[in-house]
Amino acid sequence: MSDSISAALHTMKLINGATVIYRRGNQSVELVGVRGQSKQRGYNADGLEITWQSHEWTFHSDELELAGTVITPTRGDTIEETIDGQLRVYAVTHLNPAQQPYEWEDFRGLVTRIHNVLQSVT
């Protein structure tokens, strides 16, 4: 199943992929990912359940490489995409602070889905 998920991502990248720059500090890598959204659930400070739409990018995990090392997404990293001359910067994060900003889509960790929020458009 893991290989099927990886193959499906490869096909999605061919059809609807976008070239982006994944950045951590002054290190970056250019790669092709697939943009998505999903409905998230969590609780606010008062304990009330809230829902929101999150932005997500999905990549082959081994392509997330900085300085020769495959990395795990971390809060504070960014993903940059240029659309029609406008630079869109997404901050890697999860709106629920108890959650990691990423998850693996398969049991072997071949495909990584990264949660993020749109930080700026210039």
Side-chain angles (χ1 to χ4, degrees), residues 68-83:
T69 302
V70 174
I71 58 135
T72 302
T74 303
R75 283 180 174 81
D77 295 351
T78 59
I79 299 168
E80 301 172 358
E81 176 188 34
T82 301
I83 300 176

Side-chain angles (χ1 to χ4, degrees), residues 9 13 16-24 27-36 56-60 63-66 77-83 86-92 112 114 116 118:
L9 176 58
K13 285 166 58 172
N16 198 29
T19 300
V20 299
I21 296 173
Y22 190 95
R23 187 175 306 279
R24 176 177 290 168
Q27 296 180 331
S28 64
V29 61
E30 183 177 279
L31 56 142
V32 176
V34 175
R35 182 184 326 106
E56 299 165 347
W57 283 95
T58 304
F59 303 101
H60 284 101
E63 295 176 341
L64 288 168
E65 182 178 314
L66 295 174
D77 295 351
T78 59
I79 299 168
E80 301 172 358
E81 176 188 34
T82 301
I83 300 176
Q86 291 187 315
L87 175 65
R88 297 171 184 261
V89 178
Y90 299 87
V92 173
T112 303
I114 303 172
N116 53 81
L118 183 61

Side-chain angles (χ1 to χ4, degrees), residues 8 14 37-38 43 45 51 54-55 59 68-70 80 83 91 101-102 107 110:
L14 292 173
Q37 292 182 340
S38 68
Y43 295 91
T51 60
S54 72
H55 293 276
F59 303 101
T69 302
V70 174
E80 301 172 358
I83 300 176
Y102 70 94
F107 69 93
L110 299 177

